[in-house]
């Protein structure tokens, strides 16, 4: 059986892998020391592009344009970059077994990779409606989105049904971003979600009302308070109708399901300590096994600011956790240590010409400002989450880089609520 050894192996070739690779190089990496093993065919790229510019009707983004680390204004790491740096990018390769005791990974083709230090960066996989037993949920024409091949298939499907009917199931990030881009492609779009308003994990009703109003203006039909309970197909097994639990039926040429994701922890679930669905790590992203780190979507880390363990499925954390892990690994080799991870949660989304950012935590009372008068296109409005007289979370639609920076500082420093007005009217 073929066997290869590396000083460092990154398992998974997504956002965190790209940022980790760059950090290894910045910290000093010798050729042949690092391998990245990924089941994807492409070198690490900025995944958020897939639900945005990748699906634009005009000049859609394509690789190599959005390889990491362009999403944070950094160098674009093309496949040639990895070759130049002596990093083995092992693509189209799924790892099917891992042993933290043996320090090995085994691929579907039977190749064994040995490592001294492993970084697990396997991300997450979308949840399907067939996971809940929804009849017809695996029909042709029902799409999910995680990897660039999913986005390519969706792009081809959009182009094949000009002015056709698209149903988006789910009212979270993916649902909202995809509904926008489908509409931009001139499809008739209906969104369906069970909650009383979109993005309930973050938004409060006044924030959601702004976006729902905007989407309706753009011609998107929104159906709330019910779920897709089944799908009808034609003789070719292609989806034709989405049946809703409330009895309504929607014509559909394509359906896009965005109902959440599950972290890919299966390979090590019996070998590493799990917490809140991810691998439990410390402030350096070390798991419960020696020389094994976990970063990005699969890591449940100490969120120092709120003194709790948390798993975060957002790109900013994927980037920063990867950098932190590599710095910790390199420091440990020199007998040094670094500061523990001290993260301020940061999420963003972009759809149509809208763009919002959120910093901190959405706990306490939400104080929304400007949402009623922001109904003009590109209107600016925001919200603060206030607890014990302090700002814990801050949200802004349409903010400038300086304003967003000020919000981040307010949430990081948990400024007294009395200073809110000054910040809101920068
Ligand atoms: C469509 C989309 C849009 C998004 N938009 C936003 C956004 O606007 N803002 C935001 O903050 N976040 C967004 N996110 C979330 C963000 O992209 C993720 O949090 C981030 O990609 C996590 O990085 P990661 O490296 O942990 O995992 P990923 O980037 O998912 O990478 C995981 C990699 O591991 C590989 N892998 C998994 N298992 C194996 C295995 N057994 N063998 C080999 N390889 C394996 C996968 O193929 C993949 O290459 C979006 C996500 C998606 C899917």
């Amino acid at each position: 059986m073929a066997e290869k050894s590396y000083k460092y192996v990154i398992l998974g070739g997504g956002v965190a892998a790209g940022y980790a690779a760059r950090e290894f190089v910045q910290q000093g990496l010798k050729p042949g020391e690092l391998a990245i093993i990924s089941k994807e065919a492409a070198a690490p790229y900025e995944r958020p592009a897939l639900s945005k510019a990748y699906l634009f009707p005009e000049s859609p983004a394509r690789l190599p344009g959005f390889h990491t680390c362009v999403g944070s204004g950094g160098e674009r790491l093309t496949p040639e970059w990895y070759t130049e740096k002596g990093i083995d990018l092992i693509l189209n390769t799924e790892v099917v077994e891992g042993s933290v005791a043996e320090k090995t990974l085994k691929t579907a083709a039977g190749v064994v990779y040995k490592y001294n230090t492993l970084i697990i960066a396997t991300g997450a996989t979308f949840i399907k409606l067939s996971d809940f037993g929804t009849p017809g949920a695996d029909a042709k024409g029902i799409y999910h989105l995680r990897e660039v091949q999913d986005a390519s298939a969706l792009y081809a499907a959009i182009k094949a049904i000009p002015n056709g009917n698209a149903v988006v199931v789910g009212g979270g990030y993916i649902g909202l971003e995809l509904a926008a881009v489908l509409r931009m492609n001139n499809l008739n779009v209906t969104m369906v979600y069970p909650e009383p308003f979109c993005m309930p994990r973050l938004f409060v009703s006044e924030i959601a009302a702004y976006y729902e109003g905007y989407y309706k203006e753009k011609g998107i039909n929104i159906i709330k308070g019910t779920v897709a309970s089944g799908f009808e197909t034609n003789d070719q097994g292609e989806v034709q109708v989405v049946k809703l639990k409330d009895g309504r039926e929607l014509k559909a040429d394509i359906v896009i399901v965005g109902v959440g994701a599950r972290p890919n922890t299966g390979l090590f679930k019996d070998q590493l300590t799990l917490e809140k669905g991810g691998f439990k790590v410390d402030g350096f992203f070390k798991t419960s096994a020696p020389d094994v780190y976990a970063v990005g979507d699969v890591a449940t880390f100490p969120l120092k600011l709120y003194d709790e363990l948390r798993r975060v499925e957002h790109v900013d954390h994927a980037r920063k956790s990867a950098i932190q892990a590599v710095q910790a690994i390199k420091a440990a080799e020199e007998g040094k240590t670094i500061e523990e991870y001290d993260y301020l949660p940061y999420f963003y989304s972009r759809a149509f010409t809208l763009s919002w950012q959120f910093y901190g935590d959405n706990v306490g009372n939400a104080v929304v400002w400007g949402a009623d008068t922001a109904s003009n296109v590109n209107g600016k409005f925001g919200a603060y989450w206030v607890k014990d007289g302090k700002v814990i979370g801050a949200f802004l639609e349409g903010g400038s880089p300086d304003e967003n920076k000020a919000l981040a500082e307010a949430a990081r420093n948990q400024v007294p609520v009395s200073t809110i007005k000054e910040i809101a009217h920068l």
Side-chain angles (χ1 to χ4, degrees):
M1 193 183 297
E3 194 173 295
K4 261 199 115 173
S5 288
Y6 292 92
K7 186 169 183 189
Y8 313 108
V9 171
I10 302 172
L11 172 55
V15 173
Y19 282 77
R22 185 184 62 171
E23 191 62 28
F24 268 122
V25 168
Q26 282 174 0
Q27 297 280 330
L29 184 76
K30 295 196 188 86
E33 282 186 334
L34 171 63
I36 297 175
I37 309 177
S38 178
K39 69 179 169 60
E40 290 195 77
Y45 56 87
E46 303 283 2
R47 198 165 304 284
L50 299 182
S51 52
K52 305 175 184 69
Y54 199 91
L55 301 172
F56 281 178
E58 308 292 333
S59 319
R62 287 292 177 268
L63 290 171
F66 59 100
H67 282 300
T68 55
C69 304
V70 287
S72 57
E75 191 185 352
R76 187 162 57 96
L77 314 182
T78 57
E80 297 73 41
W81 180 88
Y82 292 89
T83 311
E84 274 165 30
K85 303 298 176 195
I87 298 170
D88 282 355
L89 200 50
I90 302 163
L91 301 176
N92 294 306
T93 301
E94 184 173 10
V95 169
V96 292
E97 270 176 52
S99 165
V100 300
E102 306 284 325
K103 296 187 131 188
T104 54
L105 302 172
K106 189 175 168 190
T107 71
V111 180
V112 173
Y113 292 96
K114 282 189 82 75
Y115 60 81
N116 286 350
T117 300
L118 173 67
I119 300 180
I120 305 173
T122 41
T125 304
F126 48 72
I127 294 171
K128 291 174 150 192
L129 292 181
S130 49
D131 297 345
F132 309 117
T134 308
D138 286 330
K140 285 183 203 150
I142 300 183
Y143 293 87
H144 303 81
L145 184 56
R146 182 79 201 182
E147 302 190 343
V148 70
Q149 62 183 27
D150 307 321
S152 297
L154 178 56
Y155 184 80
I158 291 169
K159 292 291 166 199
I161 52 156
N163 305 312
N165 296 313
V167 175
V168 176
V169 179
Y173 276 94
I174 300 279
L176 283 166
E177 291 186 0
L178 287 175
V181 87
L182 293 167
R183 188 70 200 118
M184 287 163 71
N185 279 279
N186 273 328
L187 300 186
N188 301 311
V189 182
T190 302
M191 293 184 76
V192 182
Y193 42 90
E195 298 89 356
F197 54 83
C198 63
M199 281 285 293
R201 275 164 66 183
L202 174 62
F203 290 176
V204 291
S205 59
E206 295 114 295
I207 299 180
Y210 173 81
Y211 292 101
E212 288 175 353
Y214 188 101
Y215 273 47
K216 282 179 195 162
E217 289 261 303
K218 289 280 181 190
I220 293 173
N221 182 26
I222 297 180
I223 299 178
K224 301 189 262 188
T226 190
V227 293
S229 58
F231 301 90
E232 275 175 17
T233 59
N234 61 13
D235 294 347
Q236 282 83 51
E238 295 161 341
V239 70
Q240 302 284 289
V241 171
V242 181
K243 292 176 167 182
L244 303 184
K245 199 173 173 192
D246 67 6
R248 279 183 274 186
E249 297 197 341
L250 305 170
K251 274 205 214 158
D253 300 304
I254 57 170
V255 175
I256 295 100
V257 179
V259 294
R262 261 190 214 105
N264 294 322
T265 53
L267 285 176
F268 298 100
K269 70 176 171 25
D270 301 324
Q271 302 176 58
L272 301 175
T273 304
L274 287 168
E275 184 92 33
K276 295 187 174 173
F279 298 118
K280 188 179 176 194
V281 295
D282 63 11
F284 309 102
F285 291 91
K286 273 163 108 165
T287 66
S288 54
D291 306 320
V292 179
Y293 292 71
V295 295
D297 285 6
V298 291
T300 301
F301 62 95
L303 188 53
K304 230 172 145 180
L305 194 56
Y306 308 128
D307 196 20
E308 65 170 70
L309 287 174
R310 201 175 285 187
R311 199 173 65 75
V312 171
E313 283 182 10
H314 290 286
V315 72
D316 178 62
H317 162 69
R319 294 167 180 157
K320 289 180 176 157
S321 59
I323 292 169
Q324 172 77 359
V326 174
Q327 288 182 353
I329 290 166
K330 295 300 265 185
E333 285 172 4
E334 292 166 21
K336 296 183 191 151
T337 185
I338 59 167
E339 293 283 314
E340 282 185 90
Y341 195 56
D342 187 6
Y343 187 60
L344 172 71
Y346 162 56
F347 327 132
Y348 71 91
S349 182
R350 283 195 292 272
F352 293 118
T353 53
L354 300 168
S355 167
W356 59 256
Q357 317 234 347
F358 172 79
Y359 299 90
D361 212 5
N362 57 333
V363 295
N365 291 326
V367 182
V368 181
W369 58 269
D372 43 349
T373 52
S375 51
N376 56 318
V377 174
N378 286 339
K380 186 186 289 183
F381 77 98
Y384 295 92
W385 278 259
V386 178
K387 203 176 144 200
D388 301 332
K390 290 177 187 162
V391 173
I392 308 294
F395 172 94
L396 186 60
E397 165 61 47
S400 67
D402 281 351
E403 289 166 333
N404 288 324
K405 199 168 156 233
L407 288 198
E409 278 165 19
R412 157 69 70 188
N413 299 322
Q414 305 191 345
V415 297
V417 70
S418 54
T419 57
I420 273 186
K421 275 211 165 62
E422 288 162 38
I423 302 162
H425 298 107
L426 274 164

